[in-house]
Amino acid sequence: MFPVMPSAPDPSDAALVARARDGDAPAFEALVRRHWRAAYAAALGITGTMMDAEDLAQEAFVAALEHLDDCREPARFGAWVARIARNRALNLVASPRWRGADLDDETLDPGASPAQETARRELRELLERALGGLSDAQREVVVLHDLEGWDHRAIAAHLGCSEVMSRQHLFRARRALRAR
């Protein structure tokens, strides 16, 4: 039997930000891997469309890299980049050019049959339409809580509201989704 060597703990966000500021590309890549889902969820909660959320999350990380020196609390990099994604999503939906409920026609499963692709597209459209019928806050809380697993304390901090309000948004959103 081989002895188990203790692994080094993952570096903190603050350490990764410091290394990325010094030009360490793998450090920034580690930040992207660590916080991609949060940025994506923040954008999806606003736009309600997966394609827009993916684009906005990517844009948020590009902006974060370009303005890394502006990150005042490197230990809270994840919250900072999620806020960038959220703000970009809010700007997008306020834009008259927003494509809203456009569906992503790319095939996620190249081995899927045409019937499976049609069913997946219909399900995506139904989900996007249902999420689109919620208020921005309700949609964001549903995505963060139910799809991303955030607790109400984290959601409240992200949205700048109380935990009670976060719970209230989730309750009302679920009720509206059930009615649809």
Side-chain angles (χ1 to χ4, degrees):
M1 180 135 337
F2 296 102
V4 175
M5 300 297 292
S7 62
D10 287 336
S12 68
D13 281 356
L16 290 171
V17 168
R19 287 177 30 206
R21 283 177 174 163
D22 290 336
D24 184 347
F28 191 76
E29 289 171 14
L31 288 166
V32 172
R33 280 191 306 278
R34 188 177 286 179
H35 299 292
W36 176 263
R37 286 176 56 114
Y40 174 83
L44 182 62
I46 299 295
T47 65
T49 64
M50 293 177 257
M51 187 172 72
D52 287 332
E54 190 170 315
D55 290 346
L56 291 165
Q58 189 171 8
E59 288 177 20
F61 279 102
V62 169
L65 179 59
E66 291 172 351
H67 300 282
L68 203 51
D69 290 333
D70 297 337
C71 181
R72 290 182 295 221
E73 295 181 64
R76 295 185 33 83
F77 177 84
W80 182 63
V81 78
R83 199 166 28 258
I84 293 170
R86 182 174 189 268
N87 289 340
R88 287 182 177 264
L90 289 169
N91 290 341
L92 177 68
V93 299
S95 165
R97 306 184 313 261
W98 186 48
R99 60 188 179 277
D102 284 354
L103 295 177
D104 181 8
D105 289 331
E106 292 181 23
T107 302
L108 295 179
D109 182 2
S113 71
Q116 289 171 321
E117 283 298 313
T118 300
R120 185 175 54 79
R121 237 182 249 116
E122 289 172 357
L123 182 60
R124 180 186 301 141
E125 186 176 327
L126 180 64
L127 176 62
E128 288 178 357
R129 225 183 358 244
L131 287 172
L134 300 175
S135 72
D136 291 344
Q138 289 172 345
R139 185 172 46 250
E140 199 164 0
V141 170
V142 165
V143 169
L144 293 174
H145 187 273
D146 291 349
L147 300 179
E148 293 298 320
W150 288 28
D151 64 19
H152 286 287
R153 177 176 294 163
I155 294 169
H158 176 70
L159 295 178
C161 66
S162 69
E163 287 182 54
V164 171
M165 183 56 71
S166 173
R167 291 176 193 283
Q168 201 168 35
H169 285 311
L170 183 62
F171 172 78
R172 289 181 178 153
R174 285 178 175 167
R175 186 173 57 194
L177 290 171
R178 274 192 297 272
R180 286 186 178 92

